[in-house]
Amino acid sequence: MNLQLLFENLTSPALLFFILGIIAVQLKSDLEIPAQSSKFISLYLLFSIGFKGGQELSHSTLSMEIVWSIIFGISIAILIPIYTFFILKKKLGVDNAGAIAASYGSVSAVTFVTAVSFLEAQKLTFSGHMVAIMALMEAPAIIIGVMLLSWFKKNNTIQLSQIIKHSFTNGSVFLIIGSLIIGMLASDNQANGIKPFTTDIFKGFLVIFLLDMGMTSGKKIAEFIKNGWFTIAFAITIPLVNGCIVAYLSKYFTTEIGDRFIFAVLAASASYIAVPAAMKIAVPKANPGLYLPMALAITFPFNITLGLPIYFGIINIC
């Protein structure tokens, strides 16, 4: 792994603002980002990524590489929750195993955004269809998690159709898919008209959002540690394994370094927005004090500190 690349990632403003948020909580600072402002920023980030991805996609022609990339992405979102469910089931029970497996099979839009910023720092680009793939990877993991729960709990009364609908109408998924479609339909001149909003201020909003994520993570770390070292080890090891394997396998589906990197990051990430919202409906008995801190307080910071340069290094070697 390139040590200079690791140092640059560890000293990036995005990561440092995330750490600042954790420190603020530990020092009991009254620093606070209003909930409505935080929600607006998260919506802005999803809109910006989706719109720019749609613009990129509008300049692309459908090819077999894109088709295989879509199949690869969906396959990742199906396989990860299946194997992780069986690792978790015996230790944490069926309900928690289903919720956590869905979280780690699904993807984190904010980790995706951070990965995009990482690529920009390396002066690399990625294909617009990767945004569509990210959106398509949200729902399969949720559906697989629910199906596993239904299989292992004979008395489960979950309505699968309701979960499928929620997976696609969840605000984050709906916005990024909608923005992607609008970006595809907009002409270059129309897109340039809002470029100052979609592009120029993007990194500024990203660091403020990560500051907020740092404060949220800091509030959950203590509660999470009480649940033992198994969940901490899982939240670090499984993303690392997933990211490294996909970083290697991605070369069989695309030759673009940026696309391979995005695949690895998506495989390594864990959802803490779409999945928790769906699990409230599907598995009310699952403990959000487990699956939410695992994804947000452990996996997310691991990925943006050490994970990104590790996956990038593997791609450059293989």
Side-chain angles (χ1 to χ4, degrees):
M1 183 175 61
N2 190 317
L3 292 178
Q4 182 180 357
L5 182 60
L6 175 60
F7 179 76
E8 288 178 1
N9 197 44
L10 291 173
T11 56
S12 70
L15 174 61
L16 294 177
F17 271 96
F18 180 83
I19 294 172
L20 182 64
I22 295 176
I23 293 172
V25 171
Q26 300 305 313
L27 296 180
K28 302 190 184 321
S29 168
D30 61 357
L31 176 65
E32 183 181 4
I33 296 176
Q36 290 303 314
S37 298
S38 177
K39 184 176 181 179
F40 166 77
I41 294 171
S42 63
L43 291 174
Y44 163 77
L45 294 174
L46 293 170
F47 148 74
S48 179
I49 284 290
F51 186 84
K52 289 187 289 185
Q55 275 285 290
E56 291 292 329
L57 203 56
S58 69
H59 298 134
S60 306
T61 54
L62 186 64
S63 63
M64 284 308 299
E65 181 175 318
I66 293 177
V67 172
W68 280 112
S69 292
I70 292 172
I71 293 172
F72 183 49
I74 293 175
S75 298
I76 293 169
I78 291 173
L79 292 174
I80 289 176
I82 292 175
Y83 94 83
T84 52
F85 176 82
F86 289 101
I87 293 174
L88 294 160
K89 181 169 70 75
K90 186 175 181 180
K91 187 77 173 178
L92 301 177
V94 172
D95 289 323
N96 287 323
I100 297 170
S103 294
Y104 281 83
S106 190
V107 297
S108 162
V110 180
T111 308
F112 176 87
V113 170
T114 310
V116 171
S117 180
F118 181 93
L119 283 176
E120 289 177 354
Q122 308 307 313
K123 295 181 170 48
L124 293 171
T125 58
F126 65 98
S127 303
H129 64 263
M130 294 305 299
V131 180
I133 290 172
M134 182 196 70
L136 290 171
M137 288 175 70
E138 283 272 19
I142 298 173
I143 295 167
I144 291 298
V146 171
M147 290 176 66
L148 288 168
L149 283 163
S150 299
W151 180 266
F152 283 94
K153 294 184 72 174
K154 303 301 182 183
N155 61 340
N156 203 312
T157 58
I158 295 170
Q159 294 292 320
L160 189 59
S161 60
Q162 183 183 13
I163 298 302
I164 294 173
K165 179 183 177 182
H166 182 82
S167 299
F168 287 101
T169 58
N170 176 271
S172 60
V173 179
F174 187 80
L175 177 59
I176 202 162
I177 292 176
S179 299
L180 180 78
I181 294 170
I182 293 169
M184 288 177 60
L185 296 175
S187 67
D188 289 344
N189 286 335
Q190 291 168 330
N192 287 333
I194 59 172
K195 187 177 179 181
F197 185 67
T198 58
T199 304
D200 295 347
I201 62 174
F202 180 84
K203 289 185 179 179
F205 273 118
L206 174 61
V207 296
I208 297 300
F209 184 77
L210 288 174
L211 172 66
D212 186 44
M213 289 292 97
M215 289 189 285
T216 303
S217 298
K219 293 173 184 175
K220 297 180 181 297
I221 288 175
E223 175 188 352
F224 173 68
I225 290 175
K226 295 177 183 177
N227 291 295
W229 288 101
F230 172 78
T231 48
I232 296 174
F234 180 96
I236 294 173
T237 305
I238 294 300
L240 180 61
V241 170
N242 292 340
C244 291
I245 290 175
V246 171
Y248 176 78
L249 293 179
S250 60
K251 68 180 181 180
Y252 297 109
F253 297 88
T254 180
T255 56
E256 296 292 329
I257 291 178
D259 292 0
R260 291 183 61 193
F261 178 69
I262 294 295
F263 267 127
V265 171
L266 291 177
S269 69
S271 172
Y272 48 82
I273 298 175
V275 170
M279 289 301 109
K280 284 182 182 179
I281 298 172
V283 202
K285 291 183 179 178
N287 180 11
L290 277 177
Y291 59 80
L292 188 56
M294 285 176 73
L296 181 57
I298 305 297
T299 299
F300 176 66
F302 169 78
N303 274 326
I304 65 173
T305 53
L306 298 175
L308 299 186
I310 289 173
Y311 314 140
F312 190 75
I314 291 173
I315 289 166
N316 280 304
I317 293 171
C318 300

